[in-house]
Amino acid sequence: MTVIAPELELTARALVAPGKGILAADESDGTIKKRFDSIGVESTEENRRAYRDLLFSTEGVEGYISGVILYDETIRQEASDGTPFPELLASKGVIPGIKVDLGAKPLALAPGETITEGLDGLRGRLEEYRGLGARFAKWRATYSIGENLPSEYCVWTNAHALARYAALCQEAGIVPIVEPEVLQDGAHTIDESAKVTGRVLQGVYTELRDQRVDFAGTLLKPNMVLSGYDASDRAGADEVAERTLDVFYRHVPAAVPGIVFLSGGQSDADATAHLNAMNARGPHPWQLSFSYGRALQAPALKAWAGSNVEAGQRAYYHRAKLNSAARSGSYAPEMETASV
Ligand code: 13P
């Protein structure tokens, strides 16, 4: 393992500062179009800019949000007053980040499985993004649970790519968020989710170590261990918390400063309740936090509906505040309906 500059560990620790988590606002063009379609808003460059402006300029949300993951288009855009987005965020003490993978593509000779692309030319892109203000990055690999899936081939190729990305990030002075997402679609049991998530993490940490990545300058962004979304008898919050913690205690080194969960297809309230249940069982060797996309944005998107900025900001602020409470295990479902 190479020992990296202290700056990387400081950035990683700032991203998981107590009471704070990350907003994932790095939807690719295809994904943001899907989100806008759901509220009947056309996905034009200006509408995408206006929506991100709403999120980034929400007053006071920096009390709950430590960093924002941007997309290639967004990191080059500006707030309505002409301030570049990375500058606007940094002025509030929010750390700008960037999605650098180019998406999960079909893995050759492996029907139903994917490999994430984007390594070619990554060194140059990281240098440019750092110049634009990015201090951390994200790369997402996906794995499906199914009959004989994921294959060992899929586990190892994605772990290898994640580690190559992470090493390039550290070399460039950027904190890599390592995101192996075991998709929770389907009818699998929570046992299957635990088994696959553990296997995937084992592969990822073996490759990170072999490729000389310093764990202290990284963050992990994983799925929670859940019953499949279509399973008939789904595990409740206590079981999710206990099974998820069990897998992470077995597979994630204590040198990693934080685990920042993705929300996947969980409802907003479930994503918050699950994080809360894990933190209520703390302290843990790592900070347990959030890096939610859908679970932070869904109510804001709906309230905004293309024009109502104030309602959108209120909804986003409320969701961020509840997830902040879940960082210390002090969230309660009654807070959902407290005045927004
Ligand atoms: P979700 O929280 O919507 O899963 O998004 C997080 C993310 O960044 C997925 O890559």
Side-chain angles (χ1 to χ4, degrees):
M1 194 173 320
T2 309
V3 175
I4 45 91
E7 186 203 333
L8 285 184
E9 184 172 356
L10 288 176
T11 302
R13 292 203 178 273
L15 285 166
V16 291
K20 293 188 186 182
I22 296 170
L23 166 68
D26 59 325
E27 296 83 3
S28 61
D29 289 343
T31 304
I32 196 75
K33 180 175 183 318
K34 252 191 275 170
R35 306 276 185 267
F36 278 14
D37 283 351
S38 74
I39 52 163
V41 171
E42 198 189 340
S43 183
T44 61
E45 187 179 346
E46 172 51 22
N47 283 345
R48 293 191 293 271
R49 190 209 62 77
Y51 173 62
R52 266 70 180 246
D53 195 5
L54 171 162
L55 296 173
F56 306 160
S57 59
T58 297
E59 222 165 285
V61 82
E62 60 272 18
Y64 312 124
I65 299 292
S66 56
V68 174
I69 316 176
L70 305 167
Y71 182 58
D72 183 74
E73 175 184 89
T74 324
I75 199 170
R76 304 169 197 281
Q77 286 178 322
E78 296 169 350
S80 302
D81 69 359
T83 311
F85 280 147
E87 203 177 295
L88 170 70
L89 293 168
S91 73
K92 293 166 175 271
V94 176
I95 305 172
I98 181 77
K99 169 193 174 77
V100 300
D101 68 70
L102 300 180
K105 305 286 158 59
L107 177 63
L109 306 180
E113 300 197 287
T114 61
I115 180 72
T116 301
E117 295 189 349
L119 288 169
D120 289 353
L122 183 55
R123 181 179 268 124
R125 288 197 292 128
L126 286 168
E127 195 183 329
E128 188 200 0
Y129 288 139
R130 199 172 196 288
L132 289 168
R135 291 295 173 268
F136 72 102
K138 177 192 115 170
W139 178 289
R140 173 174 176 257
T142 61
Y143 314 80
S144 296
I145 299 181
E147 214 185 318
N148 300 320
L149 295 188
S151 65
E152 285 295 298
Y153 167 38
C154 174
V155 168
W156 280 104
T157 47
N158 276 292
H160 190 265
L162 275 165
R164 284 195 61 199
Y165 141 80
L168 282 162
C169 282
Q170 290 197 334
E171 190 189 79
I174 287 180
V175 171
I177 293 191
V178 173
E179 183 179 359
E181 178 176 5
V182 179
L183 300 167
Q184 303 297 312
D185 304 291
H188 61 259
T189 61
I190 195 165
D191 283 345
E192 287 171 283
S193 177
K195 192 172 139 214
V196 172
T197 303
R199 177 70 193 96
V200 162
L201 291 172
Q202 189 65 43
V204 166
Y205 282 100
T206 302
E207 283 289 339
L208 287 173
R209 190 177 177 82
D210 284 354
Q211 295 189 44
R212 307 177 180 179
V213 173
D214 185 343
F215 300 151
T218 67
L219 293 174
L220 175 68
K221 175 164 175 168
N223 54 286
M224 294 180 194
V225 172
L226 305 173
S227 314
Y229 296 131
D230 300 328
S232 47
D233 188 18
R234 304 195 60 219
D238 287 329
E239 194 178 354
V240 166
E242 274 154 29
R243 298 304 300 270
T244 303
L245 288 169
D246 180 67
V247 169
F248 288 89
Y249 268 81
R250 288 170 197 276
H251 295 286
V252 182
V256 174
I259 298 176
V260 294
F261 290 99
L262 59 92
S263 61
Q266 300 179 68
S267 71
D268 316 335
D270 279 356
T272 308
H274 290 159
L275 179 64
N276 188 69
M278 285 188 263
N279 277 313
R281 286 162 170 77
H284 302 298
W286 346 258
Q287 291 290 315
L288 293 184
S289 185
F290 56 89
S291 174
Y292 293 161
R294 282 163 283 181
L296 268 174
Q297 293 186 50
L301 199 59
K302 213 166 130 201
W304 172 58
S307 57
N308 195 339
V309 173
E310 204 190 311
Q313 292 189 328
R314 245 195 335 262
Y316 169 50
Y317 182 91
H318 185 62
R319 208 66 243 156
K321 187 174 169 184
L322 298 188
N323 282 303
S324 168
R327 291 282 281 105
S328 57
S330 60
Y331 160 83
E334 302 81 72
M335 293 160 76
E336 291 288 341
T337 47
S339 66
V340 177

